[in-house]
């Protein structure tokens, strides 16, 4: 029998390493072999079932298995679940989880695009770091001006994030919605507006909310009240960056989308890392649509929404 097949030796090495806390070098010296060979012994011990490693994460993070299932179902890089709650507490927890994820991924020198909304406002409020990123630049991906819910506008969110991280930001001096398609053409072609969208299209990371149908959108309802407008609700399942989408995740051809001041979804799709942050029964169809269209790479949600995403 080869040395690697000697189970007694494998058990001895495994006990020394895992139970007694000896280093591989110490074990090698005691056994009388090279340190690289100890590494092979330990790998063989796991392969033969002499050692079984169990990660006890249920109490600290009970949703690992659920996250993995959603990742595999939709081909996502990562899913982060927080505990669901009937009140706004889960939205605050999602904001905290999203801020932690952003800090894990951010590198100095990057450009980070942000959409708007109540959930991303929670991200900005939760972000805290002693590390500074003076060469990071935050960019709004959607318009947002006026007196209605200023705290959830993209400009306010990027300014807050930049302040916490001692980073840079640019502001988008345009409303969410304008009066006509012609007015939109004029506004988006203004040099200062065009510059922001051009920088945003080359962002390294984007973090976006995913809205449900129009009647559930805080900002949409606000703008409809101001403009006394109506929306053709047919075929709309939700929105990303205030672009209304259908079940296939493609932009709907309607009057709202023709007038909204926002990053085009084709440009959002080109950003290397797009993080979607959303939860709620009313948003499941929209999240599924975004996932089908590969609009996001990472999803931060709650466990109840994650389970609904797995339902056929």
């Amino acid at each position: 029998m080869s040395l690697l097949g000697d189970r007694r030796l494998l058990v001895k090495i495994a006990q020394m390493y895992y139970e007694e806390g000896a280093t591989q070098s110490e074990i090698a010296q005691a056994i009388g072999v090279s340190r690289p060979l100890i590494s092979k012994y330990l790998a063989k011990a796991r392969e033969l079932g002499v050692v079984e490693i169990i990660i006890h994460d249920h109490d600290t993070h009970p949703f690992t298995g659920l996250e993995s299932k959603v990742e595999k179902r939709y081909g996502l890089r990562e899913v982060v679940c927080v505990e669901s709650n009937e009140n706004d507490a889960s939205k605050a927890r999602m904001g905290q989880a999203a801020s932690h994820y952003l800090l894990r991924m951010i590198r100095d020198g990057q450009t980070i695009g942000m959409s708007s909304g109540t959930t991303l406002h929670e991200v900005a409020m939760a972000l805290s770091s002693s590390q500074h990123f003076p060469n990071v630049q935050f960019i709004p991906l959607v318009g947002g001006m006026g007196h209605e819910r200023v705290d959830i506008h993209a400009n306010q969110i990027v300014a807050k994030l930049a302040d916490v991280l001692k980073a840079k930001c640019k502001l988008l001096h345009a409303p969410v919605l304008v009066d006509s398609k012609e007015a939109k053409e004029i506004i988006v072609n203004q040099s200062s507006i065009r510059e922001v969208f051009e920088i945003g299209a080359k962002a390294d990371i984007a973090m976006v909310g995913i809205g449900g149908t129009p009647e559930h959108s805080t900002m949409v309802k606000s703008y409809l009240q101001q403009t006394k407008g109506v929306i053709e609700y047919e075929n709309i399942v939700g929105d990303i960056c205030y672009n209304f989408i259908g079940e296939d995740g493609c932009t709907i051809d309607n009057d709202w989308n023709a007038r909204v001041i926002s990053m085009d979804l084709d440009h959002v799709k080109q950003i290397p890392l797009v993080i979607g942050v959303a939860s709620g029964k009313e948003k499941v169809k929209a999240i599924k649509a975004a996932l089908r269209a590969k609009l996001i790479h990472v999803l931060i949600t709650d466990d109840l929404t994650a389970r609904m995403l797995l339902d056929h």
Side-chain angles (χ1 to χ4, degrees):
M1 181 182 293
S2 69
L3 193 58
L4 285 178
D6 186 343
R7 292 183 69 91
R8 187 197 66 78
L9 184 60
L10 293 181
V11 170
K12 180 177 179 63
I13 291 171
Q15 286 177 330
M16 292 176 70
Y17 186 73
Y18 291 105
E19 295 182 357
E20 298 172 18
T23 67
Q24 292 187 21
S25 295
E26 290 170 343
I27 298 170
Q29 186 175 7
I31 299 296
V33 298
S34 67
R35 193 205 61 78
L37 202 52
I38 295 299
S39 181
K40 290 183 180 180
Y41 290 149
L42 291 170
K44 191 68 175 179
R46 290 194 295 272
E47 179 185 332
L48 296 177
V50 173
V51 172
E52 181 180 358
I53 297 175
I54 301 173
I55 301 172
H56 296 282
D57 68 335
H58 187 77
D59 292 335
T60 56
H61 190 71
F63 307 125
T64 304
L66 178 61
E67 292 168 346
S68 180
K69 288 179 182 178
V70 179
E71 288 166 2
K72 291 176 181 176
R73 169 73 66 88
Y74 294 99
L76 288 164
R77 295 185 198 174
E78 192 165 351
V79 173
V80 178
C81 286
V82 302
E83 186 180 0
S84 60
N85 195 298
E86 292 183 356
N87 56 38
D88 287 341
S90 60
K91 186 171 288 188
R93 284 195 289 271
M94 276 201 308
Q96 189 172 45
S99 71
H100 289 165
Y101 188 87
L102 184 61
L103 282 174
R104 172 152 65 91
M105 302 307 296
I106 194 171
R107 301 291 183 272
D108 208 17
Q110 289 180 327
T111 296
I112 301 172
M114 302 290 296
S115 71
S116 60
T118 54
T119 305
L120 292 198
H121 168 69
E122 294 291 347
V123 176
M125 295 302 293
L127 188 72
S128 176
S129 175
S130 59
Q131 186 177 3
H132 296 164
F133 297 90
N135 295 312
V136 161
Q137 182 170 227
F138 286 94
I139 296 288
L141 300 179
V142 299
M145 293 175 61
H147 303 294
E148 294 290 331
R149 291 306 308 269
V150 174
D151 58 326
I152 68 172
H153 288 178
N155 282 342
Q156 296 294 321
I157 290 169
V158 300
K160 172 67 174 174
L161 293 170
D163 180 60
V164 171
L165 298 181
K166 300 298 182 283
K168 304 170 186 174
C169 71
K170 283 188 175 293
L171 303 182
L172 185 60
H173 298 294
V176 171
L177 195 72
V178 294
D179 293 338
S180 66
K181 181 179 179 180
E182 293 73 22
K184 174 179 176 176
E185 290 296 321
I186 292 171
I187 289 174
V188 297
N189 282 300
Q190 295 295 308
S191 58
S192 61
I193 305 297
R194 187 173 65 247
E195 179 191 14
V196 174
F197 280 129
E198 286 175 349
I199 295 172
K202 297 176 182 177
D204 301 284
I205 299 172
M207 182 170 281
V208 301
I210 301 174
T213 49
E215 67 268 25
H216 294 294
S217 171
T218 305
M219 189 69 81
V220 170
K221 287 190 290 186
S222 171
Y223 266 83
L224 285 179
Q225 290 170 1
Q226 291 181 42
T227 62
K228 297 181 172 63
V230 294
I231 296 175
E232 303 93 326
Y233 284 87
E234 188 177 1
N235 299 323
I236 295 173
V237 298
D239 76 89
I240 293 184
C241 295
Y242 296 128
N243 292 279
F244 287 127
I245 59 175
E247 288 186 352
D248 58 0
C250 295
T251 306
I252 296 286
D253 183 14
N254 66 7
D255 181 60
W256 173 281
N257 283 344
R259 296 190 289 138
V260 72
I261 306 297
S262 170
M263 173 79 74
D264 185 275
L265 292 187
D266 287 337
H267 290 141
V268 173
K269 204 169 182 178
Q270 299 305 311
I271 296 173
L273 175 60
V274 181
I275 306 161
V277 190
S279 70
K281 183 178 180 180
E282 75 282 0
K283 295 185 179 183
V284 170
K285 286 185 178 180
I287 297 171
K288 283 186 175 181
L291 297 176
R292 288 190 194 102
K294 306 297 183 184
L295 286 168
I296 63 173
H297 308 106
V298 172
L299 175 64
I300 297 173
T301 188
D302 64 27
D303 64 302
L304 182 60
T305 306
R307 290 187 175 90
M308 287 189 284
L309 289 173
L310 295 173
D311 291 339
H312 292 285

